[in-house]
Amino acid sequence: GAGFIFTTSLPPTVLSGALASIRVLRSEEGRELRARHQGNVNYLRSNLLKAGVSVEHTPSHIIPIHVGDPALSSALSDALLQQGHYVQAINYPTVPRGQEKLRVAPTPHHTVEMMDKFVADLSKMWTQVGLELNPSQKGECSGSCNYCKKPNLFDRLTSRESCDIPNCPQVYSVAAAA
């Protein structure tokens, strides 16, 4: 009979796409995209905080919004999709029970108008499902990590190098970078 050849190599088309992506990211266009991306993340995070939405503090470009209830998290995700916003609900077992959240990932291609509409739509739906906005935050970040309570480093777009708290979102994983 015929033998079976097993390989884990990537198809040439995937490698070609990866190489093209790296070339773009290394170029001036890539630097502009990264700057615009970081600007959009900061803009959206700031406006969500000003609206009183429970934004979790992480150094990532992903903005987690704590909901705390799987049914409400899914309901918000579904309602936002009806308004043209694709936002994933993250529920158990991906996160512990009681830590359900929405995962918001702005891109460099989102416009200010798109982000403003998202904040307005989410704020409206937030209260419609019975969640309370917290405008007492006045758009200000608490200034410290939700997990380890050490000062946030978002303004420097970096994460801390060490922390004694397991799973602290502000810890830079040397293993992941290797």
Side-chain angles (χ1 to χ4, degrees):
F4 178 73
I5 297 174
F6 177 77
T7 181
T8 57
S9 65
L10 295 173
T13 54
V14 172
L15 296 174
S16 179
L19 185 57
S21 296
I22 291 168
R23 287 184 179 132
V24 167
L25 290 173
R26 290 176 62 188
S27 71
E28 182 60 32
E29 176 189 5
R31 285 185 284 282
E32 290 171 11
L33 284 171
R34 283 193 302 279
R36 196 165 55 225
H37 188 212
Q38 291 170 353
N40 282 354
V41 170
N42 288 334
Y43 179 85
L44 186 56
R45 179 184 287 125
S46 173
N47 285 340
L48 287 166
L49 283 166
K50 286 177 187 170
V53 175
S54 59
V55 173
E56 292 183 8
H57 305 288
T58 67
S60 170
H61 66 284
I62 297 168
I63 303 171
I65 300 173
H66 181 268
V67 177
D69 180 282
L72 295 180
S73 181
S74 295
L76 282 166
S77 177
D78 293 345
L80 286 166
L81 187 57
Q82 294 299 317
Q83 296 297 315
H85 309 289
Y86 178 67
V87 176
Q88 295 170 312
I90 309 298
N91 295 325
Y92 177 84
T94 306
V95 295
R97 285 185 172 93
Q99 294 298 313
E100 293 81 10
K101 59 193 77 197
L102 297 176
R103 179 188 186 272
V104 180
T107 73
H109 304 291
H110 283 104
T111 64
V112 168
E113 293 79 19
M114 294 165 108
M115 292 184 284
D116 288 346
K117 180 172 176 13
F118 172 73
V119 171
D121 290 345
L122 176 60
S123 299
K124 178 181 175 185
M125 292 170 202
W126 192 265
T127 57
Q128 285 177 345
V129 300
L131 293 169
E132 185 177 334
L133 292 172
N134 185 6
S136 64
Q137 292 174 337
K138 296 186 175 99
E140 296 298 320
C141 177
S142 67
S144 64
C145 176
N146 289 351
Y147 295 89
C148 68
K149 306 303 180 203
K150 293 179 183 174
N152 286 330
L153 303 173
F154 304 132
D155 57 335
R156 291 186 258 157
L157 296 169
T158 186
S159 59
R160 75 182 78 263
E161 293 180 12
S162 65
C163 182
D164 297 331
I165 307 296
N167 302 318
C168 176
Q170 288 204 30
V171 175
Y172 176 78
S173 174
V174 176

